[in-house]
Amino acid sequence: MFDLLNEILATLRNNKLRTALTGFAVSWGIFLLIVLLSVSRGLVNGMDAMFGQHDTETVSIRGGYAQKAYKGLKENRRVRLRDKDIAIVASQNSNVAAEVVASVTNDSAQISTSKDYLTDGYKGAYPAEIRNSGVTIEKGRFINQSDINSKRRVVVIHTESAETLFGDKDPIGQQVKICNLSFTVVGTYRQEWRRDNFIPYTTARSMSGGSDYVNNITVKLKDVRTLEESENAEKGFRSTLGRQHTFADDDSGALWIWNRFSDYLTTSSAMGVLGMAVWIIGLLTMLSGIVGVSNIMFVSVRERTHEIGVRRAIGAKPRSILRQIILESVAITTLFGYVGIVFGVLAAQGIAALTAGDGEGGHQIFKDPTVDLAIAFQVTLVLIIAGALAGLFPAMKSLKIKPVEALRDE
């Protein structure tokens, strides 16, 4: 073992400039690989966190404008969803629809207390809205099924709205006025870009003056696993509502549909491609370093021709010489590779520190861009394989040296 280390050090000393340049190439390739892996990991974690705040297996549907004339009806007519569409979508798509809910809004309603008032309006919602909207409850609770069944006058407001309406007082259990009706605050939530005031859907419907229009219908999918199945389910919803509201199945403007499940599958696939691309770029960058290590070992074999001949003459087996050359190559590659790993990890930690506060309270696209133990093992395996390949051809050349000719070499 010590003899091997001495021979490796001798090889490095005898080729200082070549070793330095090759070492830099190997270290730089590994450094870039670690940084790129950390960045891709940060993007993947950010995407997972973003989708984790929502129920990804849902399809949201809003009314739009029919762009095509259909069955005697003119183009550019408005399509408005109604209460009865909830049951129709559920019954005619029972094979893929686990739950169908809706929401209704009043954007101009005033919400007030004796201290202050807001003009944010309200949104009538089902309990599933907490998953669909991705809100995080800060205090209290969200709308529940008992609220829906009893048409309770309860409201869930944003934490900043609570500060405006109540100041430093605990808002839970306090009364607010919505459209001159008293509501009890049962919960507060936080989210960066949403300021909705949630009340039970049935309560909002009773306040709508007899209107049965809904703003949005959300379908919770079931037994849908692939992108093709997701798109077929979406076509089924469009076809169902097309028959109900008389517009063509291929009229894309009639409905605005957000298929979160298709988005999730597409993004997951893109993240997988990104991870593969990062590895390819990193390995290609490191290739120059591997070629340099191979050149060093070729020079080393050439300089040690006489030594190899002596060892062969006194009975050294070819595989022992082969093993020595390959181990030297692996050691050199691993040594400089770990220098790149250290600096790459430090860079990843720096990136993590700089992005730690981004998206607080909302969606964080870039999250925890650090490398874990699994990546360290993967990179180590890459280094070992790369070193072995770099030393393989010089080692094979050393086996072709004939002892008699090698002994003549000075």
Side-chain angles (χ1 to χ4, degrees), residues 352-360 364:
L354 291 174
T355 59
D358 292 350
E360 187 174 354
Q364 189 173 351

Coordinates of all heavy atoms in Angstrom, one line a residue, residues 352-360 364:
A352 N -27.7 27.9 -1.5 CA -28.8 27.6 -0.6 C -29.0 28.8 0.4 O -30.1 29.2 0.7 CB -28.5 26.3 0.2
A353 N -27.9 29.3 0.9 CA -28.0 30.5 1.8 C -28.6 31.7 1.1 O -29.4 32.4 1.7 CB -26.6 30.8 2.4
L354 N -28.2 31.9 -0.1 CA -28.7 33.1 -0.9 C -30.2 33.0 -1.2 O -30.8 34.0 -1.3 CB -27.9 33.3 -2.1 CG -26.4 33.7 -1.9 CD1 -25.7 33.8 -3.3 CD2 -26.3 35.1 -1.3
T355 N -30.6 31.8 -1.4 CA -32.0 31.6 -1.8 C -32.9 31.1 -0.7 O -34.1 30.8 -0.9 CB -32.1 30.5 -3.0 OG1 -31.6 29.3 -2.5 CG2 -31.3 31.0 -4.2
A356 N -32.4 31.1 0.5 CA -33.2 30.5 1.7 C -34.5 31.3 1.9 O -35.5 30.7 2.3 CB -32.3 30.5 2.9
G357 N -34.5 32.6 1.7 CA -35.7 33.4 2.0 C -36.6 33.6 0.9 O -37.7 34.3 1.1
D358 N -36.3 33.2 -0.3 CA -37.1 33.4 -1.5 C -38.4 32.7 -1.4 O -38.5 31.5 -1.0 CB -36.4 33.0 -2.8 CG -35.2 33.8 -3.1 OD1 -35.0 34.8 -2.4 OD2 -34.4 33.5 -4.0
G359 N -39.5 33.4 -1.7 CA -40.8 32.8 -1.7 C -41.4 32.5 -0.4 O -42.3 31.7 -0.3
E360 N -40.9 33.1 0.7 CA -41.4 32.8 2.0 C -42.9 33.2 2.0 O -43.3 34.3 1.7 CB -40.6 33.6 3.0 CG -41.0 33.2 4.5 CD -40.1 33.9 5.5 OE1 -39.1 34.6 5.0 OE2 -40.4 33.8 6.7
Q364 N -42.2 28.8 -3.7 CA -40.7 28.9 -3.7 C -40.2 28.1 -4.9 O -40.2 26.8 -4.8 CB -40.1 28.5 -2.4 CG -38.6 28.8 -2.3 CD -38.1 28.6 -0.9 OE1 -38.8 28.3 0.0 NE2 -36.8 28.6 -0.8

